[in-house]
Amino acid sequence: MESIRYKLQTIGLIATAFISVTQLTCTGDKRARPGMFLEMTGKVAPNPAAMPQSEDGQWPMSAKNYQNTRFSGLNEINTSNVGQLKVAWTFSTGVDRGQEAAPIVVGDTMYVVTPFPNILYALDLKNNGALKWKYEPNPELASQGVACCDTVNRGAVFDSGKLFINTLDGNTCAVDAATGKQVWKTKLGDINKGESITMSPIVVKGKVIVGNAGGEFGVRGWIAALNENDGSVAWKAYNNGPDADVLIGTNFHPFYQSDQGKDLGLSSWPPDQWKIGGGTVWGWVSYDPDSDLIYYGTGNPGVWNPELRPGDNKWSCTIFARKPDTGEAIWAYQVNWHDLYDHDEVNENVVVDLPINGQTRKVIIHPGRNGYMYVIDRTTGQVLSANPFVYQTAAKGVDLQTGRLIPNEEKEPHTGKVIREICPISAGAKDWQPTAYSPQTGLLYIPHQNLCMDYEGTEANYIAGTPYVGVNTKYYAGPGGNRGFFTAWDPITGAPAWQIKENFPVWSGTVATAGDVVFYGTMEGWFKAVNAKTGDLLWQFKTGSGIIGQPVTYRGPDGKQYVAVLSGIGGWPGSLVAGDLDADDDTAANGWGSALRDLKDVTTKGGTLYVFSLP
């Protein structure tokens, strides 16, 4: 099982990117930007994330708010003084695996979730992060063997006096925020089938919303809602199969004809292939209280080799809009029909209002793993624009009339044939690592990659709980030689405002602030602050390990603004270090060995929380 585990810590999701644009500068935002924040409706117990328009200094969920903007209204730390940041305190998680979680801050307490074994810590912000309590869910040891891309966890969420976390072995847990005592624990996934849960949950109108991972094991993808008081299942929607299972009914109205019809989750697959068809939900869920819809994307179809599953393969690689109370699907848009390259579309859908063609449109911004930046009408599912934000050879564009991705026939995979220079790679132009959107600059800040690949289809047989992939891959740097980018993107013009080259993929999340500062981390371990308008480097600090976590900022009990991030290399590419893989092996981490052979030379294992403040 250990060999399977490390083989799989390569199959997850990654990123690739290049933009042939140089000497880009931001001249400042001279356009009126309508307010992006929407007021919470409904009668559930107060959740700080529900009122993002009034900055209270907290960070109650991984994305900061329902809109997934990761924007903080705090401005004590700004472009004029961020260079003075110092370490305020640190905390060791005791787990040296990939630290992808966002620290959660509510009141005078910070909550941190580790990778497996998914320990939840409560830290006292009045006492330099002293331990208040810890909760140990004790997930099954065997779950490490079905973790596709390291044993990561992407964070907790706070609501109504409770913390909610997911465990690698497929459980969702509710914990009393004051005492650390377990309130309930509900098992949703089955590791014997290859299911795991790595995503950060979200709480909407009293429902804890969770999805499964395991597309590389041929699981059947689903999203579920648990009643937050007792953990009972309120609804569960599969992302493939008959309409009844997908919760598609009379109110389902996709915008594009190719997404319209009865039981497409059956007819777009070979017979019974949908039962092992992937389409998992391991990324981000956003919510628009105005329309009362949740938005999320689904992962790759079961078995990567596209020749083994002819058809559109719905509803993999799809953005869904659903009602949070019932799970009823309202619209869906399949981003990658008949996915060719493992381009999951689980990336965030950022809820904003934008001026487009002279009118304010209610949209979601979706940075596609396929390398296109989608601006989509969130009420109908219509694609308003889809421009490439990386160097692109895999596709020729997106047909806005049909919504269909236009594949490049020259790069189409075939069994037994190596196809070279496919860009972006299987992990995509951007993988799970979340963007941030600033309503002050109107820019979306994207941590991502600049990588291409060689791709060969192979035969694959399904055996429950074992890898079901059918592809050999080899990754390498894209044009320019740098393997990562940090890009500021203008969603209205559909072009970058500025861009920073990084030697390694930028696998961390990011946060934007009202002080016009943006923070992100690098795989070498640098934690950086840049000017949100120009991209100028303002400050950096070298942590003890590579950073793949999600930075946050908050107001402490003393009234000061702090910035926090977890340092600890891992994740799919970082498993070369965290899993002690042979970097001289091109196939290590399912292709990452060839791309990141030098990663072990610049970083080591780690698991430390760093908290920074002004003197």
Side-chain angles (χ1 to χ4, degrees), residues 202-221:
I202 184 173
V203 181
V204 177
K205 300 175 70 177
K207 303 288 191 301
V208 184
I209 298 173
V210 178
N212 66 340
E216 283 63 53
F217 292 84
V219 305
R220 187 183 179 197

Side-chain angles (χ1 to χ4, degrees), residues 1 10 38 67 120 132 169 199 350 466 472:
M1 182 60 76
T10 89
L38 300 171
Q67 290 76 17
L120 174 64
K132 283 188 171 184
D169 63 348
M199 70 174 289
V350 183
T466 64
N472 293 322

Side-chain angles (χ1 to χ4, degrees), residues 462-479:
Y462 174 76
I463 301 174
T466 64
Y468 184 50
V469 180
V471 161
N472 293 322
T473 58
K474 178 182 178 180
Y475 307 144
Y476 42 86

